[in-house]
Structure formats: structure tokens, C-alpha cells
Amino acid sequence: MADQEDDFITQRETMVELQIRARGVIDEKVLAAMRKVPRHLFVPQKIRPFAHGDEPLPIGEGQTISQPYIVAYMTQALELTGKEKVLEVGTGSGYQTAVLAEIVRQVFTVELLSALSDRARALLQELGYTDIHYKVGDGTSGWEENAPFDAIIVTAAAPAVPKRLQDQLSPDGRMIIPVGAGFQDLFLISRERRGFRKKKLLPVRFVPLISAH
């Protein structure tokens, strides 16, 4: 068992160096989080040998755990200092949640599918994460009673940027979100004094963001 854990640690190191740092993710806080979080625990047991591959993987309920590079890229794009309160839309496996929790003060995570939320919560609590708040509900509505948020990360693709999420950003807050149908583009939304600035980052492929409405 110890040998297997050592193997997973080695695989995480290789993942960080070859898939993430080599592609330009240089934020040391993000790299440290990606090294530390045991990614293999967030995928079904039968596909754990593939947990550190350069691709998304199925986690059940028609959802996926994102490719490691995309998790790191999106996290770095938020330019987190460590003091932020972050909203995550789409808890999914809980992996991105854990990466955020390694870096920031508080994470609020919303998931529409209760089976995924419950599974992620149980694992994250087992791993010792205490500053994560969980909600089962429609992520397109955000989490208004806990707004504003310094950063928002959306881990599924919306047809357009949800206005309710945008409005829950704090002054100078940043949101990263995939937008589009089929193939999408990743956008960074920055709240500025005169409104919102929208910057296209790169093409991506995410599962659709499902609204309860």
C-alpha cells in the first residue's frame, strides 16, 4: 500500500512538471496545491491508474473531472493571493474544490446534483478540509447570501455569462468561466469601477452547465 502511495506521489510530480509547469503555469501556490491534492482519490477506483493523465475523466452522473492542466490554468488565472473568499460553481468530484482550499481562506461550492455533492463533501471532510461550505442547488444563481466573492470559478460551460454570477463579484473581483455550446472559449471576467471587462483566454471543452430552471 505504501509503495502504491509513493507511485501516486511520483505521478503527481510528473503531472505538475510535464503537463502544468511546462505549459506555462508558474504560480507556486497553484503548483504546490496540485502536487499535494491526491487526485487519484477523486476518480472512480477502476480508473485510478489513469488519474494523472493529460485528459478529463468520467466521475459518474454524466460529469467529468477536468484535465489537470485546465484546473491549474483556471486557478492561476484568478491571481489568488490566499486571502480570498471564492465561489465554485460545479463541485463535481471535489478536486478543483480541494485545489482552491489549499490556496484560499474560504471556498463556497455549489453543485446541482446531490449525489456528486454528497460524495465530494464526504471525501473532502475525510481529507481534513474545514473551510469549505457546500450547497446543493442551481449554480447559475450563485450563492447570494454569501456574496460578494473575490473570485468565482465555473467548471461547466454556460451558453452566456450568467448575470447573477457576475453581479456577485466583489469590486476588483475576477471570474473564470467557459462559454459556448459544443466547443467553448474560456473567459476571464474582471469587475472594474466602470463595469465588467471580458477577456477570451483559450478554447476548451466542458460539460454543459445545467440550470434547474
Side-chain angles (χ1 to χ4, degrees), residues 148-161:
F149 298 97
D150 304 304
I152 298 175
I153 186 166
V154 183
T155 61
V161 178

Side-chain angles (χ1 to χ4, degrees), residues 31 54 67 71 90 109 116 124 132 143 181 184-185 211 213:
L31 297 174
D54 189 21
Q67 173 190 7
V71 173
T109 185
L116 287 183
L124 290 163
I132 302 173
W143 200 334
Q184 310 107 19
D185 289 304
S211 171
H213 303 301

Side-chain angles (χ1 to χ4, degrees), residues 47-77:
I47 59 172
R48 282 185 183 172
F50 310 103
H52 301 92
D54 189 21
E55 60 189 348
L57 293 170
I59 56 168
E61 308 290 330
Q63 303 300 302
T64 58
I65 181 173
S66 293
Q67 173 190 7
Y69 168 69
I70 291 294
V71 173
Y73 180 93
M74 291 176 72
T75 307
Q76 176 173 268

Side-chain angles (χ1 to χ4, degrees), residues 51-105:
H52 301 92
D54 189 21
E55 60 189 348
L57 293 170
I59 56 168
E61 308 290 330
Q63 303 300 302
T64 58
I65 181 173
S66 293
Q67 173 190 7
Y69 168 69
I70 291 294
V71 173
Y73 180 93
M74 291 176 72
T75 307
Q76 176 173 268
L78 293 173
E79 296 182 7
L80 302 169
T81 66
K83 298 176 181 177
E84 293 86 358
K85 181 170 75 169
V86 178
L87 173 67
E88 177 190 35
V89 176
T91 311
S93 69
Y95 178 69
Q96 173 75 77
T97 324
V99 170
L100 292 167
E102 287 290 339
I103 300 170
V104 303
R105 185 170 57 88

